[in-house]
Each structure stands twice: as structure tokens, then as C-alpha cells.
Amino acid sequence: MASVNRTDRLYAIVEELRAVAPRCKSARELAARFEVSPRTVERDISALQQSGVPIYAEPGRRGGYALDKRMSLPPLNFTPAEAVAVAVALGRAGDNPFAFHARGALRKLIAAMSPPDGARARELAARVHMIVEPEPYPRVSRVIEQALLHRRVLRLRYEDQKGRTTVREVEPAIFVGGRGGHWYLVGMCRLRQDVRVFRLDRIGWAEETDETAPEHPPERFAPHLPDVVMRSPEFD
């Protein structure tokens, strides 16, 4: 696993423990996973515990750190073929802003299956190959995801079509994806005092501020997206 910054690592540690809950992982195992020292993992765990994440230590030679089992999924009755179908669908998320979370979702699914079915799913998955592209803008997209979730104002550096760079404060509203293989952030730009559409690969950096953004109904932005048919993900 490529090295990540501390914020992403803290999030990933929680997801790693969630995926194996109620089993535990040692500091040494987590250190190897994230390419840091066991001492760094211990400091990260302490920070997570202080922030209220229900992680506890299991004593003993085979002990380690575990996440409260109420934070994990109950056993799932997925067949191996169904699990691989989900894996293929999530694998296609490699070019969208939620690729990082898709990988976490897949780990949770496999961990919640019975061990025999999980093993058969892995065997079947080994016979399925996809051509995928690397995640094009992982850091920027995760910052935007969090800003949308927390409803926070974003500060970002943007390069327009003519190569001009500006720093903007943006009240984020929606992600738009799929058109031409690109993803876009749509929001109220305070610099321009109007709605603007920002292509993610032109955002040099982004940070979430502490300021709460005004509520913007997604339908308000539809007129600013000509020739785009918008559809939200379906959960049923």
C-alpha cells in the first residue's frame, strides 16, 4: 500500500479494523499494512480513541486492536458469484471519486461472509481480470467528499481552460460524474458570486474549512449543466 498522509491513514485504520471485526489486528500487522512503525500505529490508535472511536485493546500473545463489533456487519448470505459480481461493480469505481470507499466496502463484504464462501469468492475473483486506470485525483476527491458530508465551505486552487490559476472559496453542492470520463464539483463560487462547475483534474489542491456552507438544493444547479442527464445512485 502506498504511503498516505495521517488523516487518510486514521480513516483507513478504522476501515481495516471494521473489516475484520470482531477479530483484532496487532500494531505490527497494521504497521506493515500502512508502511509505518508500530509506534506510529499506537499513536494513531490513541488519537482515534480520544476522538471517540470505539477501539479497544485485546491482551495476550494473539491480541491486538479491535473495533466494537456493533460497528461491523452481521454475517452475510452472499454466494461467491454474488460477491464477485459486487467486486466487479466496485472495481469499476476505480475512475470515480469514491474509489477509496469502494475498496473499503468490498473488504467489509468479504469479511462478513462465512470463511468457506469468502475463500470461494476469492478463488473465483482470481479468474476475473479487468483493465483499470489508477485513481486520478484521490486526495482532492476525498477532501470534497468530506466537505459535502459535513456541509463545509471548501478552499481550492483551480486552473481554468486558459491556464489561469485562482484560489477560490466554494460552497459545494453536488458531484457530477461520467461525462467524458471526468468528474465535476458544482457549487457556489464566492470569487465569482455565482454557480460554477469545477473539473476535478484541474483542482490543484483543496481543503475543508471550519465554516458551515449554506444549504443548496441539488435541483437548483440543473440549469447550469446543459446537455447533462443527472441521476443519483439507487439503493433499491
Side-chain angles (χ1 to χ4, degrees):
M1 177 175 181
S3 296
V4 296
N5 64 45
R6 188 168 190 252
T7 300
D8 286 346
R9 188 175 65 247
L10 290 173
Y11 177 85
I13 286 173
V14 174
E15 291 306 303
E16 191 77 14
L17 294 177
R18 194 198 307 273
V20 300
R23 301 186 302 277
C24 62
K25 281 205 167 187
S26 69
R28 188 174 299 277
E29 289 174 314
L30 291 169
R33 167 74 172 147
F34 299 108
E35 299 181 355
V36 295
S37 69
R39 180 61 183 151
T40 296
V41 168
E42 290 167 0
R43 286 196 296 265
D44 288 347
I45 294 290
S46 177
L48 288 166
Q49 290 171 326
Q50 290 175 31
S51 67
V53 179
I55 297 175
Y56 59 92
E58 286 278 8
R61 186 170 60 87
R62 296 189 177 182
Y65 295 105
L67 192 68
D68 190 319
K69 64 182 180 181
R70 289 173 297 180
M71 299 283 288
S72 63
L73 289 170
L76 298 176
N77 294 321
F78 274 72
T79 67
E82 287 172 336
V84 172
V86 172
V88 170
L90 292 177
R92 295 184 182 278
D95 62 350
N96 79 47
F98 296 91
F100 178 79
H101 303 290
R103 291 191 292 272
L106 184 57
R107 287 198 300 272
K108 291 179 195 177
L109 186 153
I110 295 298
M113 294 176 67
S114 70
D117 283 345
R120 285 195 290 272
R122 288 187 176 92
E123 290 172 4
L124 178 57
R127 299 177 182 273
V128 178
H129 297 267
M130 298 183 295
I131 299 174
V132 296
E133 297 293 333
E135 192 177 352
Y137 21 67
R139 177 61 185 159
V140 166
S141 66
R142 285 176 219 161
V143 171
I144 296 173
E145 289 163 20
Q146 291 302 303
L148 284 167
L149 178 64
H150 301 150
R151 221 182 77 194
R152 301 288 189 188
V153 174
L154 276 167
R155 185 176 295 113
L156 54 86
R157 186 179 68 212
Y158 191 71
E159 181 178 323
D160 65 18
Q161 289 179 315
K162 297 181 179 179
R164 295 172 299 198
T165 300
T166 51
V167 174
R168 320 274 189 107
E169 284 193 349
V170 178
E171 299 166 9
I174 54 175
F175 261 141
V176 177
R179 186 183 185 189
H182 296 292
W183 278 77
Y184 303 83
L185 166 68
V186 185
M188 179 63 68
C189 175
R190 291 181 171 178
L191 179 66
R192 305 304 185 203
Q193 292 293 301
D194 201 359
V195 175
R196 287 292 185 270
V197 180
F198 301 95
R199 213 170 86 175
L200 261 62
D201 60 346
R202 291 181 181 158
I203 299 176
W205 56 260
E207 62 181 10
E208 181 183 356
T209 71
D210 294 329
E211 182 183 353
T212 300
E215 182 67 38
H216 294 297
E219 56 271 15
R220 172 185 177 184
F221 296 88
H224 297 271
L225 300 170
D227 303 322
V228 173
V229 177
M230 292 195 296
R231 183 183 65 178
S232 297
E234 296 178 0
F235 283 92
D236 54 20

